[in-house]
Amino acid sequence: MSEDVNGADRDDRAEHWCILLPCAAGERWAVPQNALAEIVTLHGDAAQPPEELAWRGVTVPVVDFGQEGEAPWLAGGSGLVAVFLGLAGGGCDYWGVALRGEGIAARRIDPAEVVDAPDDIADHATAAFILDGATCQVPDLAAIQRQIAARRNAA
């Protein structure tokens, strides 16, 4: 048990803080906040995100799950990339995902608010759920990291 900002006791196991990230038209990821290193703003005029970016002295590979969709990467001359912390031994210390569309949010999610959506799980996800009428994917971050590392090693 811990106290919330109002001093009331709450059970931390009953709700989870997630970061909601728009990764493609109609695809929103729900990730634990401790998996995300930073959301980086890139300025420019390229219609597609870069394949990698220089971030804090490290080259970070970037994947784009929305390149086939309708949601633009750039808005007002800038685009966003979510930089994830890689798992130790996973082949890359950091990796990024291009964000497309609107709706980035940090949110405390109570399991009572969500509806499991096993029929809607994307290929790169381990679970899906409905929150506020929209499907959220729980991406398989370890598998995505392994795929990125394998591509980098093959190049």
Side-chain angles (χ1 to χ4, degrees):
M1 294 281 238
S2 62
E3 290 186 358
D4 67 13
V5 294
N6 298 317
D9 286 335
R10 63 180 171 81
D11 184 351
D12 287 325
R13 294 168 295 175
E15 44 192 35
H16 308 281
W17 276 98
C18 287
I19 306 298
L20 302 176
L21 302 170
C23 295
E27 183 169 339
R28 181 166 61 162
W29 285 12
V31 299
Q33 65 186 132
N34 64 354
L36 190 63
E38 185 173 341
I39 296 177
V40 178
T41 302
L42 299 175
H43 301 282
D45 57 6
Q48 300 298 323
E51 291 184 10
E52 57 186 28
L53 65 93
W55 175 76
R56 300 181 184 259
V58 178
T59 300
V60 176
V62 176
V63 294
D64 183 6
F65 288 95
Q67 63 194 139
E68 303 296 323
E70 301 167 6
W73 179 64
L74 285 179
S78 62
L80 300 175
V81 173
V83 177
F84 287 86
L85 302 167
L87 296 173
C92 54
D93 293 333
Y94 303 96
W95 52 276
V97 173
L99 301 181
R100 293 177 172 269
E102 299 177 0
I104 297 172
R107 176 142 178 207
R108 186 180 309 155
I109 298 177
D110 184 329
E113 293 180 280
V114 303
V115 176
D116 192 28
D119 294 336
D120 296 332
I121 299 173
D123 292 338
H124 52 270
T126 60
F129 60 88
I130 308 296
L131 176 67
D132 298 335
T135 302
C136 294
Q137 299 291 330
V138 178
D140 187 341
L141 299 177
I144 295 167
Q145 179 185 354
R146 285 190 302 272
Q147 291 171 353
I148 292 167
R151 274 185 261 158
R152 289 182 84 188
N153 292 334

